[in-house]
Amino acid sequence: MSIHIVALGNEGDTFHQDNRPSGLIRTYLGRSPLVSGDESSLLLNAASTVARPVFTEYQASAFGNVKLVVHDCPVWDIFDSDWYTSRNLIGGADIIVIKYNVNDKFSFHEVKDNYIPVIKRALNSVPVIIAAVGTRQNEELPCTCPLCTSDRGSCVSTTEGIQLAKELGATYLELHSLDDFYIGKYFGGVLEYFMIQALNQKTSEKMKKRKMSNSFHGIRPPQLEQPEKMPVLKAEASHYNSDLNNLLFCCQCVDVVFYNPDLKEVVEAHKIVLCAVSHVFMLLFNVKSPTDIQDSSIIRTTQDLFAINRDTAFPGASHESSGNPPLRVIVKDALFCSCLSDILRFIYSGAFQWEELEEDIRKKLKDSGDVSDVIEKVKCILKTPGKINCLRNCKTYQARKPLWFYNTSLKFFLNKPMLADVVFEIQGTTVPAHRAILVARCEVMAAMFNGNYMEAKSVLIPVYGVSKETFLSFLEYLYTDSCCPAGIFQAMCLLICAEMYQVSRLQHICELFIITQLQSMPSRELASMNLDIVDLLKKAKFHHSDCLSTWLLHFIATNYLIFSQKPEFQDLSVEERSFVEKHRWPSNMYLKQLAEYRKYIHSRKCRCLVM
């Protein structure tokens, strides 16, 4: 075992070149009782010293049998001329000693500014000793005057030395002379303490390596590889807003028509959407009574703007049919009526694009007062009963997120008979709904209600193969664009319903829910749960949920040791079994190596440190 010490710096007085025969390191090696070696053996050889004059290499024995190697470098220029060698020496050092003469301030600052940062970067938890050698000149008459620099210009103060030691995390020593006290007891005591610490650390590391080598001399424990990454399932973006916005332009399931004061048709709309946004329309279409609303401004706005015409002989009626004709609404305010198509487009798009609405109204109404009057009426339509109109600043609302009235207010009409025009019969019970929302949100229902099918003319529609709870969750998604299944089983039932009606985004939501639930289960819960994961896989495949079925195969393979013990594992097809065996974790090779290692450990009757 050896200790490597690197000494850097010149402790000689540059002002008095007296060619001292011995420096700090040489003096310590020659006088320390713990270091053995005669004068001829201390210096390695003259040839090496001449070949590399910047270094003096000493070799000796310490503590009896510990090899001590010291590289003494009085010249700092080696960091400029031979950086590779100096970096290797510092990197391999067990202790570093930095020496300087207290009367050579110029050299001290040159070293501190140019070379100490280099050493700091190369240090790696190595103890450092900073030795300030010499007695300061004029020390008995120190000058503290801020204008006087007589002492400061030549001597390195104790404060400067301590500050340097703090930067390096080093131990600071002041050696006024190279006598037995300062060299043997002071400097030698600190250096020998760090030598003992270095020996203890090396001995500890050596013992650890020896134990590891003895433990794994025969067979090493197998390395368990990481399981394969699970497939990533990307969610589909919502098109809730565009679905309802398109409903205004496609003119399907229209149940209200607005007319101007001259009884000319202006625009068609849907009661359910208008009532989801405004209490004015709720009052107009008798969804709520004035007693329910209890807001005089909303009641006054309804009476001032709209009137319902129920005359059987109506000159502007163009929607006469054998079924229920659309409700006819007269818009009393001519200016408001001229902008009604833009206002409805604003409402159907989420009622938040105020600047666009104001710009569209300005194009039709040149007078700014008329524009403000129409905008104020729109705000009154969107007002919440019992509250001060909070829509006074349009630009403030333009900067906020869209006010998606539908996905919160449409839930008010879910499974309620108000404005309902279709009833689903499920498991002996009925569920009322609204054709406009169903047509806007589901292409299958749009084709069913507008094609040559029995459902297009029927009010009562039977639903088979789906439970009432699942169908209500499906309608909740259509009305609100969100759903929250109670568990994996209900999510799978909802996925099957979504596949039946071709609502792909709801399928993806259910897939993500199932995946999230399974991923969050600890291994113990996976082993004890009653859910048939293979049956879940087969249902996902049957209902064309390719992403979920692929993920479930990887999930079974990743948790092979759990699912292979379950009886339903035998229900996997040959192709599925082949995939699971190929991607199983842990692999067969690892288990075989683990068995061999355990057999080896037990045969030696020793205890494995890893297992």
Side-chain angles (χ1 to χ4, degrees), residues 127-155:
V128 179
I129 300 174
I130 294 181
V133 182
T135 302
R136 292 180 180 85
Q137 298 176 358
N138 304 323
E139 189 176 17
E140 49 288 308
L141 297 174
C143 181
T144 59
C145 175
L147 300 179
C148 181
T149 59
S150 61
D151 186 61
R152 298 179 186 180
S154 59
C155 297

Side-chain angles (χ1 to χ4, degrees), residues 219 229 534 553:
I219 301 177
K229 289 186 178 180
V534 177
L553 274 176

Side-chain angles (χ1 to χ4, degrees), residues 96-291:
I96 294 177
V97 179
I98 297 177
K99 310 167 292 177
Y100 66 87
N101 190 287
V102 295
N103 294 307
D104 190 356
K105 190 167 187 177
F106 176 79
S107 298
F108 173 81
H109 281 288
E110 183 181 10
V111 170
K112 180 181 178 183
D113 296 337
N114 298 333
Y115 301 110
I116 294 300
V118 178
I119 296 175
K120 192 175 181 180
R121 288 194 298 268
L123 286 178
N124 185 21
S125 303
V126 177
V128 179
I129 300 174
I130 294 181
V133 182
T135 302
R136 292 180 180 85
Q137 298 176 358
N138 304 323
E139 189 176 17
E140 49 288 308
L141 297 174
C143 181
T144 59
C145 175
L147 300 179
C148 181
T149 59
S150 61
D151 186 61
R152 298 179 186 180
S154 59
C155 297
V156 181
S157 66
T158 302
T159 304
E160 290 175 304
I162 294 174
Q163 184 62 35
L164 177 60
K166 287 183 178 180
E167 291 181 14
L168 292 176
T171 300
Y172 177 74
L173 303 176
E174 284 198 356
L175 310 176
H176 296 301
S177 64
L178 301 181
D179 56 15
D180 290 339
F181 172 77
Y182 285 106
I183 295 295
K185 296 183 179 180
Y186 194 24
F187 173 75
V190 174
L191 182 62
E192 287 156 12
Y193 168 79
F194 286 127
M195 288 167 63
I196 294 172
Q197 293 295 319
L199 285 174
N200 291 337
Q201 183 177 354
K202 288 187 175 185
T203 303
S204 176
E205 291 175 357
K206 188 175 181 180
M207 291 297 294
K208 288 181 180 179
K209 290 180 180 180
R210 183 177 296 174
K211 287 182 179 180
M212 295 293 288
S213 177
N214 292 336
S215 299
F216 306 135
H217 182 72
I219 301 177
R220 289 186 172 274
Q223 297 295 320
L224 180 60
E225 71 279 3
Q226 293 295 321
E228 292 186 13
K229 289 186 178 180
M230 304 293 284
V232 178
L233 186 63
K234 295 183 180 179
E236 183 179 337
S238 173
H239 40 79
Y240 182 81
N241 177 51
S242 61
D243 287 344
L244 293 175
N245 199 20
N246 292 335
L247 184 63
L248 179 65
F249 298 100
C250 70
C251 299
Q252 292 180 331
C253 303
V254 170
D255 56 3
V256 60
V257 181
F258 290 94
Y259 294 87
N260 64 14
D262 298 330
L263 305 183
K264 291 183 179 180
E265 183 179 325
V266 178
V267 66
E268 301 169 328
H270 307 83
K271 295 178 186 178
I272 180 68
V273 177
L274 298 178
C275 290
V277 173
S278 169
H279 285 81
V280 168
F281 290 112
M282 282 189 178
L283 185 62
L284 180 65
F285 301 138
N286 295 322
V287 174
K288 288 187 176 182
S289 66
T291 307

Side-chain angles (χ1 to χ4, degrees), residues 10 34 53 235 474 549:
N10 184 9
L34 297 179
F474 174 71
S549 60

Side-chain angles (χ1 to χ4, degrees), residues 395-593:
K395 292 185 178 180
T396 301
Y397 266 79
Q398 177 72 16
R400 295 183 184 179
K401 293 182 178 180
L403 299 178
W404 302 123
F405 292 102
Y406 313 123
N407 58 6
T408 54
S409 300
L410 279 178
K411 193 172 184 179
F412 175 76
F413 298 95
L414 178 63
N415 195 23
K416 292 180 181 178
M418 296 176 296
L419 303 177
D421 52 5
V422 64
V423 177
F424 294 98
E425 186 179 19
I426 311 168
Q427 295 179 335
T429 60
T430 57
V431 177
H434 307 81
R435 291 176 186 259
I437 302 302
L438 304 179
V439 167
R441 298 282 288 142
C442 177
E443 294 182 0
V444 171
M445 289 193 174
M448 182 174 69
F449 289 129
N450 294 291
N452 297 322
Y453 299 100
M454 177 186 66
E455 291 84 357
K457 299 179 181 179
S458 177
V459 176
L460 187 62
I461 300 174
V463 176
Y464 304 104
V466 179
S467 67
K468 180 183 177 181
E469 291 74 15
T470 300
F471 194 75
L472 281 175
S473 297
F474 174 71
L475 290 182
E476 181 183 3
Y477 170 78
L478 297 184
Y479 276 66
T480 66
D481 201 42
S482 64
C483 68
C484 186
I488 294 177
F489 178 77
Q490 185 182 0
M492 195 66 206
C493 294
L494 187 56
L495 184 148
I496 294 172
C497 183
E499 191 267 340
M500 183 190 308
Y501 289 100
Q502 297 296 297
V503 183
S504 60
R505 183 169 181 269
L506 179 56
Q507 283 184 272
H508 283 100
I509 291 176
C510 294
E511 289 174 341
L512 282 173
F513 179 87
I514 293 172
I515 288 173
T516 304
Q517 291 292 308
L518 290 174
Q519 280 184 327
S520 63
M521 288 185 182
S523 299
R524 183 176 299 176
E525 188 175 349
L526 284 176
S528 61
M529 71 174 182
N530 295 323
L531 180 66
D532 189 338
I533 198 77
V534 177
D535 181 61
L536 204 66
L537 169 65
K538 292 189 178 298
K539 286 181 179 178
K541 280 192 171 184
F542 183 79
H543 293 283
H544 307 99
S545 182
D546 297 332
C547 295
L548 179 59
S549 60
T550 302
W551 188 91
L552 287 173
L553 274 176
H554 279 275
F555 186 69
I556 294 172
T558 303
N559 297 275
Y560 183 87
L561 296 180
I562 295 175
F563 293 116
S564 61
Q565 304 301 317
K566 293 178 176 285
E568 61 265 21
F569 187 79
Q570 306 302 323
D571 298 334
L572 290 172
S573 65
V574 176
E575 182 182 356
E576 292 166 349
R577 179 75 70 88
S578 176
F579 179 91
V580 171
E581 293 291 347
K582 180 180 178 181
H583 298 86
R584 59 175 289 179
W585 186 86
S587 64
N588 269 324
M589 179 63 69
Y590 171 80
L591 295 178
K592 183 179 179 181
Q593 293 174 351

Side-chain angles (χ1 to χ4, degrees), residues 31-67:
R31 296 182 181 180
S32 176
L34 297 179
V35 178
S36 60
D38 54 24
E39 287 293 323
S40 60
S41 64
L42 280 178
L43 190 60
L44 189 62
N45 56 62
S48 63
T49 307
V50 175
R52 274 175 25 194
V54 292
F55 272 117
T56 302
E57 182 175 331
Y58 302 96
Q59 289 189 4
S61 296
F63 307 109
N65 59 349
V66 177
K67 183 179 179 181

Side-chain angles (χ1 to χ4, degrees), residues 43-87:
L43 190 60
L44 189 62
N45 56 62
S48 63
T49 307
V50 175
R52 274 175 25 194
V54 292
F55 272 117
T56 302
E57 182 175 331
Y58 302 96
Q59 289 189 4
S61 296
F63 307 109
N65 59 349
V66 177
K67 183 179 179 181
L68 184 63
V69 179
V70 182
H71 287 88
D72 190 5
C73 174
V75 182
W76 289 95
D77 295 343
I78 187 174
F79 288 94
D80 298 324
S81 60
D82 193 357
W83 163 239
Y84 179 79
T85 301
S86 57
R87 182 185 61 182

